[in-house]
Amino acid sequence: MGDIVISNLAELGDDEVRQATGIFVEGFYDMLRFFSADPVRLAKALEHALVKEQIYVAMEGEKVLGIFAYSVGQKRPFRFNLTVLRHTLGWIKGGLFYHFVRQELGKPLDLADRQCYFEAVATAKEARGRGVASLLNNELISRLGYEDYILEVVDTDIAAIRLYEKLGYTEFRRKPQRWFRKQAGFNARIYMRWMPNENHLGG
């Protein structure tokens, strides 16, 4: 796979943070494009919100290939500022972004002491198919040392579901999307779990 290094975003510089934000926007553009059709503008709006200590990236040289974030307790990897969002996206769109995206990415999850929630998983288009997400998943499980890892995937993302199943995750809950299914692009959220005493790291 080449010399891919996993690093915590807090250890890296502004350029890597910008790259990581751009990969997140690219990966979640369908969810974000209502607020702006311009990926650069979306990235500028989001960059301030990254809690770098809770985000890891896969690096090849100076290039960020993928990102993988995690939540523990009530700590999420995004912290949004309404003023920044309104300055970047406009008063109305910035306010809507703060209300809806903050609810999705910033609201505390109240996880148990030994639980870890993986989220904001995205791989750069040019690096897809190289096992970047698997590498990040396995490395974080090894580094973080929690007892119960949870993640969420939508039912229409078949490739992601198959990847997580290959890595040893199993579905434990399915939550139907009650409203705006067509706009959201999925019918249900699938919650999957990986526990060290039940699994081994896949690749």
Side-chain angles (χ1 to χ4, degrees):
M1 190 184 288
D3 296 325
I4 295 180
V5 177
I6 307 300
S7 299
N8 185 267
L9 195 57
E11 302 168 352
L12 303 173
D14 291 342
D15 182 58
E16 289 83 4
V17 173
R18 280 190 290 271
Q19 289 186 59
T21 309
I23 290 171
F24 176 81
V25 169
E26 183 179 86
F28 294 88
Y29 181 73
D30 286 346
M31 181 183 83
L32 300 170
R33 63 182 177 182
F34 167 81
F35 305 100
S36 175
D38 181 0
V40 175
R41 192 177 183 191
L42 287 168
K44 186 177 180 182
L46 273 163
E47 190 175 323
H48 81 280
L50 273 63
V51 179
K52 303 175 186 68
E53 292 78 7
Q54 289 175 240
I55 300 173
Y56 282 78
V57 296
M59 301 282 302
E60 188 172 49
E62 297 181 353
K63 181 76 171 175
V64 177
L65 302 182
I67 65 171
F68 215 99
Y70 72 95
S71 292
V72 289
Q74 295 193 9
K75 297 179 180 179
R76 300 293 299 273
F78 294 92
R79 193 175 297 128
F80 297 98
N81 183 295
L82 178 59
T83 302
V84 174
L85 292 170
R86 281 182 164 161
H87 176 75
T88 310
L89 299 173
W91 185 265
I92 295 175
K93 288 287 181 74
L96 289 171
F97 190 105
Y98 183 79
H99 178 75
F100 289 107
V101 179
R102 179 171 168 264
Q103 184 77 8
E104 186 78 19
L105 298 176
K107 182 181 178 181
L109 298 174
D110 292 321
L111 297 165
D113 287 343
R114 300 303 296 167
Q115 271 186 333
C116 180
Y117 181 83
F118 285 149
E119 56 187 315
V121 179
T123 302
K125 283 183 180 178
E126 63 272 19
R128 290 173 188 170
R130 296 181 59 190
V132 172
S134 297
L135 186 64
L136 279 161
N137 175 84
N138 294 350
E139 184 68 19
L140 262 68
I141 286 175
S142 177
R143 290 191 190 193
L144 297 175
Y146 287 92
E147 295 176 358
D148 186 6
Y149 294 89
I150 297 169
L151 54 78
E152 173 192 316
V153 63
V154 296
D155 64 334
T156 52
D157 193 347
I158 303 302
I161 293 170
R162 288 175 177 168
L163 169 64
Y164 295 133
E165 287 176 342
K166 180 181 177 184
L167 290 170
Y169 287 86
T170 56
E171 178 181 341
F172 69 93
R173 183 186 174 200
R174 187 174 292 238
K175 182 179 179 182
Q177 178 71 9
R178 298 188 182 277
W179 310 104
F180 307 111
R181 290 186 179 187
K182 184 176 180 180
Q183 292 85 345
F186 61 91
N187 302 305
R189 299 168 187 261
I190 298 172
Y191 296 88
M192 307 183 78
R193 165 175 279 133
W194 188 98
M195 301 182 76
N197 61 338
E198 295 179 359
N199 301 277
H200 63 277
L201 293 177

